[in-house]
């Protein structure tokens, strides 16, 4: 089992050089699965555009009109996919976008779009 996060692995996938191997496809699929939900896409966007680049769960429930447990569930999936970091401060957890991981994921999408054109 690899210790590479799905987002880290996605940055190095040779998607334009040949078919993906099972080892290459698995972490990439985890990232796609994590962002395949509209709530998670909104969470990434909200957190990315906060003034200080991070947000507490308590700040995210109202804009999404969802309960704290539901928001926490979605945040955990994004953390597990390597797209967010989580820092505990007292009783609250703060989340920040993993800029390199998000940039690499975006670059992969741009390569795929260019290859399809």
């Amino acid at each position: 089992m690899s210790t590479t996060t799905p987002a880290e692995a996605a940055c190095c996938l040779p998607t334009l050089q040949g078919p993906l191997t099972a080892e290459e496809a698995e972490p990439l699929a985890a990232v796609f699965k994590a962002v395949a939900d509209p709530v998670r896409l909104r969470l990434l966007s909200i957190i990315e555009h906060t003034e200080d680049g991070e947000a507490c769960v308590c700040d995210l429930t109202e804009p999404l009109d969802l309960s704290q447990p539901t928001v926490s569930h979605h945040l955990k999936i994004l953390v597990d996919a390597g797209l967010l970091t989580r820092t505990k401060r007292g009783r609250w957890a703060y989340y920040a976008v993993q800029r390199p991981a998000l940039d690499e994921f975006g670059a992969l999408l741009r390569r795929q779009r260019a290859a399809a054109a």
Side-chain angles (χ1 to χ4, degrees), residues 63-77:
L64 296 169
D65 195 28
L66 294 172
S67 69
Q68 181 272 322
T70 300
V71 172
S72 291
H73 167 75
H74 287 294
L75 290 166
K76 181 184 181 323
I77 291 170

Side-chain angles (χ1 to χ4, degrees), residues 14-16 20 28 32 106-117:
T15 57
L16 302 179
L20 291 172
L28 182 59
F32 276 109
L108 176 68
L109 292 176
R110 286 188 294 278
R111 286 197 316 258
Q112 289 298 97
R113 188 178 321 149

Side-chain angles (χ1 to χ4, degrees), residues 72-93:
S72 291
H73 167 75
H74 287 294
L75 290 166
K76 181 184 181 323
I77 291 170
L78 292 168
V79 169
D80 290 347
L83 297 170
L84 292 179
T85 59
R86 179 182 184 269
T87 306
K88 185 95 165 153
R89 291 188 213 142
R91 64 181 281 223
W92 296 109

